[in-house]
Amino acid sequence: MPNEQPFLQGRTRSRAWTRVAHGLYVPSDGPDEARLHALAAQLHKGAGFTHHTAARMRGWWLPPLPTGLPEFAAQNSRNRPRRPELRIIRTTPEPEITRLRGLPIVSSIDVLLALARHLGLLDVVVVLDSALRCGDVTPHQLACAQACRRFGVRRLRAAAALADARSESPFETLLRLLHVVCEIAVVPQYELKVDGCLVARGDLRLVGRDTFHEYDGAVHRDRVHHRHDLRRERDLVEHGWVRRGYTDLEVLHRPATILRDADRTLGRPHDPDRLDAWYALLRESCFTPAGRRYLLLRLGLIDD
């Protein structure tokens, strides 16, 4: 934190300060993490931020969480600070605390276990892909975590079976999982080489077919990126490959389009019932309104 006072305890009506919680204010023009520094001052010794708070601090991908969630911290003590803006998770054993940008934070594995308590399986896979990709969690650490007996471990085990560190974005993870649950074998980040030279690297290659299925996010609308995409597609066509790009619209609302394209390429009958497993994952994920409401219910923030 900068040298000026990071937060104010007490009461003030000055517009220079913004209320964080009862009796806690931060500078109105201060950094985003000033709120966390104010709340950290209310934590007991041995406590650290966890759950979506710690995931955000680490820069991991998160699903579109509902607004108004409290910040989360973990501690072993029964004596907890009680504030609606701060949710305390009691953990056993006592969490391992490190400091990140001056703030107490629990280990990466503890963060994942805390998220797995409340988030849907699809959401946990998205976060886990990100944690693996950036190296905050190693495969060995993940394997050890799956052997423990703690809250969230069952969902973490299920997520670990679906996770892949090669994913490059949240929706690329979703697109891969859509294929997996619909029994479409794919290879992530497949490199197409001709005579030892790289022609293209595709998000997902349909196994046994010269076809790429890829997620096209907002970056693909950039003029320079669009020119590169067109040149890349010409190279793929020249070598007999097919590229299909999909957006969040198809992944979340029109997955039958993706399944139909894959079925046609694989030469198998189109069976919409294959999507039942995908819809079940979506319903419990924060990528849908129903999933965000489900999370609020699990956290006791709204009534059924």
Side-chain angles (χ1 to χ4, degrees):
M1 288 293 291
N3 292 329
E4 68 263 16
Q5 187 177 4
F7 60 89
L8 175 68
Q9 291 184 284
R11 297 183 64 184
T12 180
R13 293 184 179 181
S14 172
R15 294 184 178 179
W17 296 88
T18 298
R19 184 181 183 276
V20 171
H22 178 71
L24 280 179
Y25 296 81
V26 297
S28 299
D29 59 352
D32 292 340
E33 285 189 351
R35 167 186 170 88
L36 295 183
H37 279 273
L39 292 174
Q42 313 305 306
L43 296 177
H44 297 163
K45 183 179 179 180
F49 288 114
T50 187
H51 209 273
H52 73 93
T53 305
R56 190 174 67 247
M57 290 169 62
R58 291 186 180 277
W60 295 352
W61 304 330
L62 282 167
L65 299 172
T67 58
L69 290 184
E71 305 297 350
F72 279 77
Q75 68 178 50
N76 182 254
S77 170
R78 291 181 178 274
N79 186 16
R80 316 178 194 181
R82 298 188 180 277
R83 290 177 175 272
E85 300 83 6
L86 184 62
R87 177 70 63 89
I88 303 296
I89 297 177
R90 185 167 179 263
T91 62
T92 302
E94 186 170 339
E96 176 186 341
I97 305 298
T98 58
R99 299 195 79 82
L100 180 63
R101 297 186 295 277
L103 291 164
I105 187 172
V106 303
S107 71
S108 296
I109 289 296
D110 282 347
V111 173
L112 290 169
L113 286 167
L115 288 166
R117 288 188 181 198
H118 302 125
L119 296 186
L121 177 58
L122 194 62
D123 300 331
V124 178
V125 177
V126 167
V127 181
L128 181 53
D129 275 5
S130 179
L132 290 168
R133 176 175 173 76
C134 68
D136 284 346
V137 173
T138 66
H140 175 70
Q141 290 172 324
L142 184 58
C144 292
Q146 295 177 67
C148 74
R149 299 179 64 182
R150 294 175 57 184
F151 289 115
V153 71
R154 286 188 179 182
R155 181 143 292 177
L156 184 60
R157 287 176 190 147
L162 297 170
D164 195 306
R166 291 172 289 183
S167 184
E168 295 187 343
S169 73
F171 269 95
E172 187 177 315
T173 293
L174 264 63
L175 182 62
R176 186 188 78 247
L177 292 181
L178 168 59
H179 284 73
V180 169
V181 300
C182 288
E183 301 174 338
I184 304 165
V186 293
V187 178
Q189 301 305 323
Y190 181 84
E191 291 186 346
L192 170 60
K193 294 183 179 180
V194 176
D195 297 329
C197 296
L198 180 66
V199 175
R201 182 164 58 90
D203 291 350
L204 300 173
R205 181 198 178 178
L206 272 62
V207 172
R209 300 294 186 274
D210 294 344
T211 302
F212 283 145
H213 280 190
E214 298 188 308
Y215 173 70
D216 287 349
V219 66
H220 290 269
R221 294 194 290 271
D222 174 77
R223 185 176 182 181
V224 174
H225 203 114
H226 184 58
R227 288 175 176 172
H228 174 267
D229 286 346
L230 291 175
R231 183 172 62 251
R232 177 173 176 267
E233 287 187 29
R234 288 194 295 269
D235 290 341
L236 287 171
V237 170
E238 181 179 345
H239 290 92
W241 281 67
V242 174
R243 176 196 179 273
R244 300 190 184 108
Y246 303 101
T247 67
D248 56 343
L249 178 66
E250 286 83 21
V251 174
L252 298 179
H253 305 291
R254 299 176 182 172
T257 301
I258 302 173
L259 176 61
R260 187 179 295 108
D261 289 343
D263 286 341
R264 187 183 305 116
T265 299
L266 296 174
R268 70 182 189 183
H270 176 59
D271 182 5
D273 290 343
R274 295 180 189 272
L275 289 168
D276 290 347
W278 176 245
Y279 288 133
L281 286 176
L282 277 181
R283 279 194 298 271
E284 291 189 357
S285 86
C286 287
F287 288 92
T288 63
R292 291 190 287 274
R293 175 176 169 77
Y294 175 67
L295 174 60
L296 292 173
L297 285 170
R298 294 201 68 184
L299 293 174
L301 297 175
I302 60 173
D303 296 326
D304 194 353

